Amino acid sequence: MPPFPSGEISLAPCAPARSLPADEAIASAAVAPDITRHFIRAKQPCADGYRWYLRRQEGASNYQALLDDLVREGRVEDACWMLDQFGPTNDVLEVDHLEADALVFAGSVRCRGHADVEGVLRTGRSLSVLGGLRVGGALRVGEDLRVAGAVRCEGSARLHGDARVGWSLTVAQRLQCTGSLRVGGELDCGAAAHVGGHCRVTQDMRVVGDLGCDGGIKVGGHLQTDAAVQAARGVWVTGDVDCKGHLQVGWGVRAGGHIHAGGAIRAGESLWAGETIAAGEAYGVYAGLVVPLPDWPHSAQVCAREQPARLLSGCWTDGQGNTP
């Protein structure tokens, strides 16, 4: 069966999962389809995967049991392919603690303690962990993610829903969250990050690649990126804003410290900084890009400790640069 592409933000291959003890797991099954040979063949699997199925399965097979068999024999890519083809279920897996080499579960997973998965962790629906979560491979959650402690993912992460992390969030590769993202501590991302809703980080936020957000960004510490920042709404940062690429914001930008970019600074409304505002060499600073000229004095203000060089748009306010 076709594997996931190398470097793709969803999943990568890893070792098989260990079976969970029966006294620790409770599976509350809803509708789980039975898989037949004709059903599999209709999805046009690869020859190797189909031969494995013919060798291992006779007649109709339970969907989740087949996923478990694939993972147990090290065929995690095939298990992920099958979940893509047949979709999620309403099954619920409840455990006190989760420790496995890999896990592909078609429904929701609820862990009352800590979760530690050495390779891939994928759920068809939601994932809830009342302790901390460590994933040695890629993390993919079909719906919402709720973790009371810290999350450390040594691969990439794709979250198809809202994500709430009580402590810090560390992702070594690309991070994609289709809903809103809230982190109670720091956020560190080793590649690009994209958030489909609002993004709120209580402490510092560091992103190695581009940072994109379809909502607003609020950071309780410093915001630092090694590439561009683009937000559809506003950006509010208690500390400094540092990005090595362009800074483009649909609404306004407010920072308790400085606002520095390696490229242009473009804001649909006002720019406020407690310290300085500086664009990259030969780039300009633009405020009020979506504000009519008569409204510039109150909706396209540029306020900082000193007037920024190459201020090409907006209304300079000779104030102390305090965030209102």
Side-chain angles (χ1 to χ4, degrees):
M1 299 178 185
F4 276 68
S6 176
E8 212 265 350
I9 63 176
S10 52
L11 294 175
C14 73
R18 293 191 294 270
S19 299
L20 295 171
D23 57 348
E24 293 184 8
I26 303 173
S28 304
V31 177
D34 286 334
I35 308 299
T36 65
R37 295 182 182 183
H38 297 297
F39 207 20
I40 290 286
R41 179 179 289 180
K43 297 298 182 178
Q44 298 181 339
C46 67
D48 180 62
Y50 189 59
R51 282 195 300 268
W52 178 91
Y53 175 78
L54 294 178
R55 288 196 307 267
R56 299 287 298 178
Q57 306 294 334
E58 294 294 338
S61 305
N62 177 268
Y63 181 22
Q64 185 58 51
L66 184 55
L67 294 177
D68 294 341
D69 287 345
L70 287 166
V71 172
R72 189 176 298 111
E73 296 201 11
R75 306 183 71 96
V76 179
E77 298 171 4
D78 290 353
C80 294
W81 177 87
M82 181 162 289
L83 183 52
D84 283 337
Q85 299 301 313
F86 299 108
T89 67
N90 294 326
D91 293 355
V92 178
L93 174 66
E94 297 186 22
V95 295
D96 291 327
H97 299 282
L98 177 60
E99 184 176 350
D101 292 333
L103 177 64
V104 178
F105 191 77
S108 298
V109 176
R110 300 171 185 170
C111 179
R112 291 181 284 269
H114 296 289
D116 190 342
V117 178
E118 191 62 33
V120 169
L121 173 57
R122 178 172 182 182
T123 65
R125 296 200 184 275
S126 64
L127 172 62
S128 174
V129 180
L130 297 184
L133 170 64
R134 188 193 76 87
V135 182
L139 171 65
R140 184 173 180 180
V141 180
E143 293 180 351
D144 293 346
L145 171 69
R146 299 287 187 273
V147 180
V151 174
R152 182 176 185 84
C153 176
E154 298 175 15
S156 57
R158 178 186 283 177
L159 315 173
H160 290 270
D162 295 335
R164 301 289 184 271
V165 178
W167 295 0
S168 62
L169 171 62
T170 302
V171 180
Q173 298 178 22
R174 188 175 182 183
L175 167 65
Q176 181 174 353
C177 177
T178 61
S180 295
L181 173 64
R182 179 173 293 186
V183 180
E186 297 183 344
L187 190 156
D188 282 284
C189 181
H194 186 271
V195 180
H198 296 296
C199 179
R200 182 170 183 175
V201 179
T202 302
Q203 299 179 16
D204 294 345
M205 181 175 185
R206 293 177 289 270
V207 178
V208 172
D210 291 332
L211 171 60
C213 182
D214 295 339
I217 299 174
K218 187 172 184 180
V219 180
H222 302 298
L223 172 60
Q224 178 182 349
T225 70
D226 291 346
V229 175
Q230 184 169 358
R233 297 191 180 183
V235 173
W236 191 323
V237 178
T238 301
D240 300 328
V241 176
D242 286 289
C243 74
K244 295 184 179 179
H246 299 303
L247 173 62
Q248 183 164 325
V249 180
W251 294 1
V253 182
R254 296 178 178 179
H258 62 247
I259 301 174
H260 290 176
I265 297 176
R266 306 185 188 97
E269 298 178 0
S270 297
L271 287 168
W272 291 78
E275 300 294 335
T276 57
I277 299 175
E281 188 66 29
Y283 288 100
V285 177
Y286 305 84
L289 293 177
V290 298
V291 177
L293 288 174
D295 296 335
W296 273 21
H298 56 82
S299 296
Q301 299 179 4
V302 178
C303 186
R305 177 169 293 181
E306 59 187 38
Q307 183 171 344
R310 299 178 298 280
L311 177 60
L312 304 179
S313 175
C315 182
W316 168 246
T317 301
D318 189 11
Q320 298 299 315
N322 295 325
T323 301

